[in-house]
Every structure is written in C-alpha cells, then in structure tokens.
Amino acid sequence: MSSYTDLLKTRGVARIIAAQLTARFPFGMLSLAFLLHIEHTYQSYGVAGLVLAALSIGQAIAGPLTSRLMGVWGMRPVILITMIICAAAISVIALVPLGIAADMAVAFVAGLTMPPIQPAVRTIYPKMVNSKQLTPLFSLDASAQEIIWVLGPVITTFVSVQIGTVWGILLAVAFLVGGGIWFLTSPELGRVRIPRSKRKLGAVLKKPPVLLSTIVGFLLVATCAAIEAGVVSAFGEGGAEAGIVLAIFAVGSLVGGLSLGHRPIGPWALARRMAIVFVGTAVAAASLNIWWLSIVLFIAGVGIAPALAVMFAIVSSSVRFSDTAEAYGWVGTGQLIGAAVGSALAGFLIDGIGPTGAFLVAAGLAFFGFLVPLFGKRFHPDLRGRDASPLPDTEPVTVVG
C-alpha cells in the first residue's frame, strides 16, 4: 500500500484519477440503466437488448475515431463536443417516449458521442509519473475502473428501483456532465498534447498486445455485464439483495486490484488473472442463493482489476506515444461493447430460461476470456524489469548552420 500512498502524493495524480473516474462513471451505469428502463417501458428484455446493441454499435465506431481526433483537434475540444451531444441523447431516451426504432437511433447517437475520457487519461498518465510509478498507477486506475463497472450498476439499481428508471438514467447524465467539466478543467489536459499519428486508422491493431487487450477486455466486461443482469433478474427489481451482491463483487475486485495489481507482469499474467475470474463465475449458476453468489462473485472479482492493469501496461509498452490514444480507444471500445453485448445476451437468456441463463452466459464469456490470453501467450510482452512507458516518437530535427 505504501507504493499507492506515495503515488497519490505525486502532484495532480489524485485529482486526475478522481476527475476521470467521475466523468467515466456513466459508462458503468448506462447499460444497466437502459436495460431496466427499456424493459420497464416495453416489458421485454429482448427489446432492451436491441437498444443496447444500437448503443454498442455507436461506441464501436466512436472509440478509436474520437481518440484519434484528439491528436488533430486537441483533447479539450473533442471531449467537450462529444459530452454535450451524448448527454442530450441520453436525456432524450429517459424523458421522451419515442418508440423502439427511435430509441435505437438515439441510443446509437449516444454511443457515437461517448466522450473519449479513458484514452485521454491513459495518454496523460506516462507524462505525470516516472517509469517506476507507471505500473502501480495503471493498477490503481484499474481498481478505480472497477468502481465504475461494478459499483456503478449498484447505484443504478438502487436509484432505478427506489425512485424510478428515468432518474437512474438522469443520474448517469449528471455524472457525465459534472465529471466531464471537472476533467476538462484539469491542468494536465493543457500540459500534454497528443502528437498527430502518421499511421492509418486501425493500424495500431496490428500490434498483438493491443489486439489481445481489446479482445480480452471485451470478454471480461461482457462477463461483468451478464453477471449484473443476472443478479438483478434473480432478486427482482424491488429488493436490496441485488445491490448487496453487486457491492461484494466490487469489493472483490478492489481487493484484487490493490493486492495483486502492482506485481511484476510476466507473459502468463493475463491468463492467470482471467483464470480467477472464470473459476468464480463458472460455479455461480449452481445456486441463486444470496450467500452463494456473494462468495463466488467475490472470488471472481479478485481477478478483474489485476487483469485490467495488465492490459493497460502491455498496451502502453507496445505503442508509440502518438498512437496511445487510439490504442486505448480500441481497448475502451472493446470494453464498452462488452458491457452492452453482455447485458443484451443475458437479457435474451433471462427471457428464455430465467436468471440462471445470465450466469451461464457469463461463465461462457469468462471461459473464452481465459482461453484467449492462454493461447495468445506469445503475443504478451514480458514486462518484468522493463519500463511500461510508451515508445518515444522520433522526428528529424532541423539544424540551422
């Protein structure tokens, strides 16, 4: 813990982590908020799945594109414009009854304009700390991200159940705007400029660690989303049990992130961490008892934040600084699509066979999430004793003689 304490004392680190966490909090709320609201409106998890699919398509297009635009227009203009449009689109879904097709169209716009907070902050991190602090910083960020993905749905469930599904969505908008403004006013955004990339859009995916992290991130977050939908379905929208189980899931991830996330990253690191997630998830469908789910999901959670920390580090160490934003854009797109797809798949199985179906989906996704890094070990950098900072961009220097 001393390494994390020293890290948080570094100038600006605590502030930028808190600001980006607040701005990104809606990313962990919207899938479940839309699922609850659309299901409540149309009485069908299947229809909710269609709206989430539209959201995910927009996110798939936006992630690397808006990230790359930050190297052209700058971080602040891109984040501000996308934040305004996204907040408006999300509010329309909550407040205006439009019909299924129109809801899907607006959800697509919301996904298309998701602010690129994640690639922005991950690009800034290497410029804020020294090389020895970078891996612990990624670990700390991964633990914070788990608050988004796991604690976010807890808050969404509570507000949607106790007050109403409209307010669950509007709370996400409040986090998006408030956190976005806080992040935009951070001095670090003015001190760091992303160089314009000279490579074609998508070329960064030819880097095996980037592709590996994108695929595994998709499967990991899809697993979490399916679990969240299953927990809510198992305990109903009227009880507190769902919030309790999801909170324990979050605690497991935080414990794992702080205890395992700073360890040296070898070529087996990602597979080992995903194995923990799979083991806990694989047995969850055996019983819908609150105590059983709390125990096994705590175990599954222990592997989540450490796995994310590994993904961030191997991406950072594999690309040039000018490509970091786009690389994290692709990884973020994988995670955001995973959240929507996991909820959608779970929703269809819940309609078909009940809550157990969601946990079966989660187990299947977690299994593939373990297999991919297992068989992709040769694409996994060995960072033991190595610097995880991005590769420097080199340009010719004009000498005046």
Side-chain angles (χ1 to χ4, degrees), residues 23-37:
R24 291 168 53 209
F25 213 79
F27 296 177
M29 301 174 69
L30 283 175
S31 290
L32 188 55
F34 280 3
L35 184 73
L36 292 171
H37 180 69

Side-chain angles (χ1 to χ4, degrees), residues 133-193:
Q133 292 178 306
L134 187 56
T135 296
L137 179 55
F138 281 136
S139 300
L140 189 61
D141 182 85
S143 299
Q145 177 163 302
E146 272 318 296
I147 296 176
I148 295 171
W149 289 118
V150 187
L151 193 58
V154 175
I155 297 174
T156 300
T157 302
F158 176 81
V159 173
S160 297
V161 169
Q162 301 298 326
I163 304 176
T165 57
V166 169
W167 290 103
I169 295 176
L170 293 181
L171 180 61
V173 174
F175 274 111
L176 177 68
V177 175
I181 293 173
W182 186 9
F183 184 72
L184 286 170
T185 56
S186 299
E188 289 74 18
L189 266 73
R191 299 187 187 126
V192 178
R193 184 186 180 280

Side-chain angles (χ1 to χ4, degrees), residues 291-333:
W291 295 107
W292 173 257
L293 288 177
S294 297
I295 293 171
V296 298
L297 292 184
F298 177 88
I299 294 172
V302 168
I304 294 174
L308 290 166
V310 171
M311 293 180 220
F312 304 155
I314 65 175
V315 167
S316 176
S317 66
S318 304
V319 299
R320 295 189 181 278
F321 180 65
S322 59
D323 292 322
T324 52
E326 184 188 340
Y328 285 124
W330 285 109
V331 175
T333 288

